[in-house]
């Protein structure tokens, strides 16, 4: 229980007889909300500008435990051949062909168990492929509809080839991890690939407090912006509402810009990779005139060219990245302990809540 010590600006944690029993992610979400409310009451949380970013956190599984659909089929065929050979030995009247120490029932049981696990793994890969095909088919039909609408509006045949339809069924390199099937092979910093989850955090400017967090199985960030907007929108009104959202080019799409606009948040999302050392003339050149009746993307592109927009976007690198760096290096959280997506989400929520508590004590004067 948190109470205020008389004459102190810091809260004192007083133990009570009531034990808190976490119940999945709900407990950690409520606890994080309490820490944000505490920060707001202490005057250290301002929600004017937030920055969104993601980082790869290692899963509690090795990438060497991953099995591809193609390799699973090869092992399955090998095991079936070995089972047939063992059955032939068992049917043979002369036991001289059976090596010393071999127990045919034990060998058969081991292979049947491996075949069962392989069948389960292949079935899960096939189910994922079916979900992916349905999603890609919907995207393909949307592209065809947009292409047809453009052709009808212009009266001309669209240039280029029509989009290729998605291929049904699992791909040979589709994988599943036998230790943590919810985790995915993802590219990691420094090069290479590992078994990871993609951890997301929205960080408030100034305080560096994490106001929303999530964990996904997708290695890219483009599909993570709208779910994070939903989490930010679900925060208590007493915490305030962000006015501007900063994100790197990994989050850019016309749909994401429109989603920010619909949520009443001004987006500043890089539309491409920015050079580290632009020419002097480019840095100080005057912003172009604002476009007339711009689309959300055009309006954002113009804001990014203005001095105020460039200065605001420059804050992005000093918001989520230090938080991730301290969590990984100073707090030592580089790998999830729990397995499964639900466990990883709850654990990341607790980690970001611990960061918030640590940060609050650093922000409040002694």
């Amino acid at each position: 229980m948190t109470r205020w010590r008389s004459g102190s600006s810091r809260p004192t944690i007083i133990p009570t007889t009531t034990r808190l029993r976490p119940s999945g992610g709900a407990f950690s979400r409520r606890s994080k909300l309490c820490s944000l409310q505490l920060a707001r009451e202490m005057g250290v949380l301002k929600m004017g500008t937030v920055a969104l970013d993601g980082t790869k956190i290692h899963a509690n599984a090795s990438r060497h435990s991953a099995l591809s659909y193609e390799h699973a089929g090869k092992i399955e065929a090998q095991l079936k051949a070995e089972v047939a050979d063992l059955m032939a030995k068992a049917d043979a009247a002369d036991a001289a062909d059976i090596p010393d120490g071999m127990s045919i029932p034990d060998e058969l049981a081991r292979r049947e168990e491996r075949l069962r696990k392989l069948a389960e793994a292949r079935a899960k890969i096939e189910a994922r492929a079916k979900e992916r095909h349905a999603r890609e088919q919907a995207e393909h039909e949307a592209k065809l509809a947009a292409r047809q609408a453009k052709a009808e509006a212009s009266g001309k045949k669209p240039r280029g080839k029509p989009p290729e339809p998605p291929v049904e069924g699992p791909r040979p390199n589709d994988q599943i991890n036998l230790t943590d099937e919810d985790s995915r092979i993802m590219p990691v910093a420094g090069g290479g690939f590992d078994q990871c989850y993609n951890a997301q955090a929205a960080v408030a400017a100034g305080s560096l407090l994490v106001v929303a967090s999530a964990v996904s199985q997708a290695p890219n960030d483009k599909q993570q912006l709208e779910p994070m907007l939903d989490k930010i929108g679900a925060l208590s009104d007493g915490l305030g509402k962000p006015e501007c959202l900063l994100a790197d080019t990994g989050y850019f799409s016309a749909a994401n810009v429109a989603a920010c606009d619909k949520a009443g948040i001004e987006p500043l999302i890089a539309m491409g990779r920015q050079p580290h050392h632009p020419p002097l003339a480019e840095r100080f050149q005057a912003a172009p005139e604002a476009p007339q009746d711009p689309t959300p993307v055009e309006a954002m592109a113009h804001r990014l060219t203005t001095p105020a927009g460039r200065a605001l976007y420059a804050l992005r690198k000093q918001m989520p990245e230090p938080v991730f760096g301290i969590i990984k290096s100073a707090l030592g959280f580089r790998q999830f302990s729990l397995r499964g997506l639900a466990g990883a989400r709850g654990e990341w929520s607790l980690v970001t809540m611990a960061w918030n508590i640590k940060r609050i004590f650093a922000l409040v004067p002694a």
Side-chain angles (χ1 to χ4, degrees):
M1 179 177 178
T2 303
R3 292 181 182 171
W4 292 98
R5 181 186 295 164
S6 178
S8 174
S9 61
R10 292 187 178 225
T12 302
I13 307 300
I14 302 176
T16 65
T17 55
T18 303
R19 297 186 63 189
L20 297 176
R21 298 183 181 273
S23 176
F27 170 79
S28 55
R29 286 193 297 272
R30 289 195 299 268
S31 301
K32 181 186 288 183
L33 182 59
C34 290
S35 68
L36 293 175
Q37 290 171 339
L38 178 63
R40 184 72 174 181
E41 291 177 8
M42 297 170 74
V44 297
L45 174 61
K46 294 181 180 179
M47 291 280 285
T49 299
V50 297
L52 177 61
D53 207 351
T55 185
K56 307 300 190 296
I57 304 288
H58 292 289
N60 187 4
S62 169
R63 62 187 175 88
H64 300 294
S65 299
L67 182 70
S68 71
Y69 188 78
E70 183 179 42
H71 190 57
K74 292 179 180 178
I75 297 176
E76 192 174 41
Q78 176 187 337
L79 289 173
K80 287 180 178 178
E82 291 176 358
V83 167
D85 183 56
L86 288 169
M87 293 298 293
K89 289 182 183 296
D91 292 338
D94 187 4
D97 293 333
I98 301 176
D100 293 338
M102 174 186 286
S103 171
I104 290 181
D106 291 345
E107 297 294 333
L108 283 171
R110 274 194 289 270
R111 281 156 181 79
E112 288 170 357
E113 177 65 15
R114 289 189 67 190
L115 283 169
R116 183 186 65 80
K117 291 182 177 179
L118 284 171
E120 290 179 356
R122 284 170 65 86
K124 289 175 181 176
I125 293 175
E126 289 167 359
R128 288 181 187 175
K130 188 175 181 180
E131 292 175 2
R132 180 183 64 216
H133 180 263
R135 184 174 63 252
E136 291 177 349
Q137 183 64 31
E139 294 172 357
H140 174 69
E141 291 173 359
K143 289 178 181 178
L144 289 178
R147 183 181 173 90
Q148 180 65 25
K150 186 177 180 180
E152 292 175 357
S154 64
K156 299 179 181 179
K157 183 179 179 181
R159 294 182 179 179
K161 296 180 180 179
E164 294 288 336
V167 179
E168 195 171 1
R171 299 165 184 163
N173 59 347
D174 284 350
Q175 293 186 343
I176 188 170
N177 192 281
L178 301 180
T179 305
D180 183 357
E181 64 184 46
D182 287 346
S183 63
R184 299 290 188 270
I185 292 284
M186 298 185 185
V188 294
F193 296 82
D194 217 324
Q195 206 73 29
C196 296
Y197 287 101
N198 187 357
Q200 300 283 314
V203 178
S207 64
L208 299 188
L209 293 170
V210 177
V211 298
S213 63
V215 173
S216 81
Q217 299 165 299
N220 62 64
D221 295 325
K222 193 162 291 185
Q223 281 73 43
Q224 311 312 317
L225 190 139
E226 289 195 51
M228 290 298 289
L229 281 179
D230 292 339
K231 286 180 173 288
I232 293 171
L235 293 173
S236 170
D237 292 337
L239 296 176
K241 296 296 180 182
E243 301 170 358
C244 180
L245 183 138
L246 314 177
D248 63 26
T249 186
Y251 292 89
F252 173 71
S253 72
N256 285 345
V257 175
C260 290
D261 193 61
K262 184 179 178 181
I265 299 175
E266 181 181 73
L268 282 177
I269 307 172
M271 300 175 65
R273 292 195 175 275
Q274 306 295 319
H276 288 289
H277 304 288
L280 189 65
E282 183 179 323
R283 287 179 56 199
F284 294 99
Q285 69 181 357
E289 293 185 5
Q292 297 294 325
D293 193 22
T295 64
V297 173
E298 291 171 342
M300 186 190 73
H302 177 261
R303 286 195 298 270
L304 286 168
T305 61
T306 63
R310 290 199 300 265
L312 191 56
Y313 181 77
L315 297 176
R316 185 194 62 80
K317 286 188 177 181
Q318 62 192 58
M319 292 169 65
E321 292 185 12
V323 174
F324 292 150
I326 294 171
I327 285 176
K328 287 184 173 182
S329 297
L331 301 184
F333 183 78
R334 293 179 174 273
Q335 177 176 314
F336 289 106
S337 297
L338 300 179
R339 293 172 179 169
L341 183 59
R345 284 173 173 167
E347 193 172 354
W348 179 240
S349 186
L350 287 172
V351 167
T352 53
M353 181 190 68
W355 158 258
N356 282 351
I357 294 173
K358 181 181 178 66
R359 185 63 183 160
I360 290 170
F361 273 78
L363 292 170
V364 177

